[in-house]
Amino acid sequence: MSGQLMPCSPREISSLFLFEKLTPEQLGRLCSEGRVELFEPGPVYAEGDPATCFYSMIEGTVVLSRRVGGDDVEVIRTSQRGAYAGAMQSYLGDRLQQVYNNSMRVTEPTRFFVLPADTFAAVMREWFPMAVHLLEGLFFGAKSTQAAVGQRERLLALGSLSAGLTHELNNPAAAAVRATSTLRERIAKMRHKLAVIAEGPFSREQLASLIEIQERTAERVAKAPVLSPLEASDREDTLTDWLEDHGIDYGWQLAPTFVQAGLDTDWLEQVAAAVGEEILPGAVGWLNYTIETELLMNEIEDSTTRISHLVDAAKQYSQLDRAPYRVVDVHELLDSTLLMLSAKTGPRIKVVKEYDRTLPQIPGYPAELNQVWTNLIDNAVSAINSASGEGTLTVRTALDHERLLVEFRDTGPGIPPEIRSRIFDPFFTTKPVGEGTGLGLDISWRIVVNKHHGTLQVESVPGDTRFQVLLPLTAETPDEASALTTPEEAA
């Protein structure tokens, strides 16, 4: 937008704090190459447009805003003379994309001293060469440091996740190895028992009945009910008494296996009726090996299934073989992240899921959303551990005014009000030296706000801290360049 051109007075320009130390010759050059414009209430420039001018307010009221999702969020409102905005980094030249980082409007007739970006860059380099070098070093040095530390943080997170995944994989893998070894022993004993049965006083009909009972016993193992410890103990005592009453002295060894398989005294009565009392001990021993092999195979199946689920979760977390931008189910992403971080949450932190499964899928970058979940969960766990070490992490999803809400709530000590406004700043951390880089929330803010056009906010009181991610149900065309904007630039 352009305003009404007005006379430029070097004396008036020198009254603005940016220019108060300039010489008359320098002020004259500014007035000759710049201009004074009067803007009526309304927009002056829009976020994302090429940054062609540098503005310094002479009088009036200016409002700066950022586009967040579908809303314009006001970040600054001021009537201070000399307040400046626009092409503030034009002196960096082509090394930085020169666009306006915010939108500016005025709420009353407002006069600006307007300097073309090229002129502003030229006078900065000519008049303040040392300052420009220092600013360039600060700007690009901060970006380089931020990138390096961010990469380091990602590597540390990857190492932590790898250690957790290795720990999670080790348990079912070790269980499968143990079960396989035991299964080999049981099958060897079954072969021996089969030879004993073949040489024993079993009739053809009894053998047929025993084999039929064996098949039905194996089916029963697959449908065994889950008993409480008290129920299981009572049933073991009952089965032990029955076995001892029928001449099986080692019944106390068999009873736990039979209970685990879901067998009871009624089932054993059917076995006794089918094979006869004289061969009942051999038949019961044979069925015990059958049950043990079935239980061991179930254990192997459970362990290998667990390993498969962990591998699937790792692929889901890392988004291997997936498109970088696609429609995603946030609940799948949350579940995979929680599983990957289960070693970190540990047994002392209770994880509660309050999912609204009716929520639709949304477009986004799944790998980067998983990074957001990781950072927020890690912060929640650290907050709980900094207090008592015991607490609850609640992950909630809901619909919030045409946006999808993902909330992470912890029972930690809370965030003090005096630092709450700084937690999204790069390198700001409350963790001890060596435990945090201060980039987790900064990276999360970039991913949520810039790449997904959403909102990341926090509410905190002692015992109840909530980080809320609000994502649009529909998204604009993905814009990689927008991820470069920082929270401080938004202000």
Side-chain angles (χ1 to χ4, degrees), residues 324-330 333 360-366 369 404 451-453 471-478:
Y325 185 81
R326 64 183 181 87
V327 175
V328 297
D329 182 346
V330 294
L333 303 183
Q361 295 185 343
I362 62 170
Y365 297 87
L369 287 176
L404 189 149
K451 295 204 75 169
H452 291 85
H453 307 289
L471 299 170
L473 300 181
T474 58
E476 303 170 8
T477 302

Side-chain angles (χ1 to χ4, degrees), residues 104-287:
M104 184 166 72
R105 61 186 175 89
V106 295
T107 58
E108 61 177 319
T110 301
R111 282 195 306 138
F112 289 98
F113 172 65
V114 183
L115 198 60
D118 291 343
T119 301
F120 177 68
V123 299
M124 283 288 291
R125 287 192 290 266
E126 291 176 24
W127 298 347
F128 314 106
M130 182 176 178
V132 167
H133 287 310
L134 291 172
L135 289 171
E136 287 177 341
L138 178 64
F139 182 84
F140 291 111
K143 276 193 171 295
S144 177
T145 302
Q146 192 167 343
V149 176
Q151 183 67 20
R152 177 66 175 172
E153 182 169 86
R154 291 185 181 94
L155 290 173
L156 290 173
L158 179 61
S160 176
L161 288 172
S162 298
L165 180 60
T166 302
H167 174 76
E168 291 295 321
L169 286 170
N170 181 65
N171 292 333
V177 170
R178 288 193 303 268
T180 302
S181 176
T182 306
L183 180 61
R184 182 178 287 109
E185 295 177 5
R186 294 298 183 270
I187 291 177
K189 290 182 178 180
M190 281 189 72
R191 290 196 298 267
H192 175 72
K193 180 65 72 173
L194 180 61
V196 172
I197 290 175
E199 296 172 356
F202 289 84
S203 67
R204 182 183 298 272
E205 291 76 15
Q206 287 174 326
L207 283 173
S209 297
L210 183 59
I211 291 172
E212 192 270 336
I213 290 173
Q214 180 188 32
E215 293 298 324
R216 288 193 286 130
T217 301
E219 294 176 0
R220 188 150 182 159
V221 172
K223 302 175 183 178
V226 178
L227 303 177
S228 68
L230 183 60
E231 291 172 332
S233 178
D234 290 343
R235 185 172 290 190
E236 287 176 14
D237 291 342
T238 302
L239 286 178
T240 300
D241 292 342
W242 188 95
L243 291 169
E244 291 177 351
D245 290 344
H246 288 76
I248 301 173
D249 297 333
Y250 52 91
W252 60 273
Q253 293 178 311
L254 304 180
T257 303
F258 285 2
V259 170
Q260 189 177 357
L263 305 187
D264 52 21
T265 53
D266 292 340
W267 183 260
L268 292 178
E269 290 289 353
Q270 295 179 39
V271 175
V275 300
E277 288 290 335
E278 71 280 4
I279 58 174
L280 181 61
V284 168
W286 171 257
L287 291 178

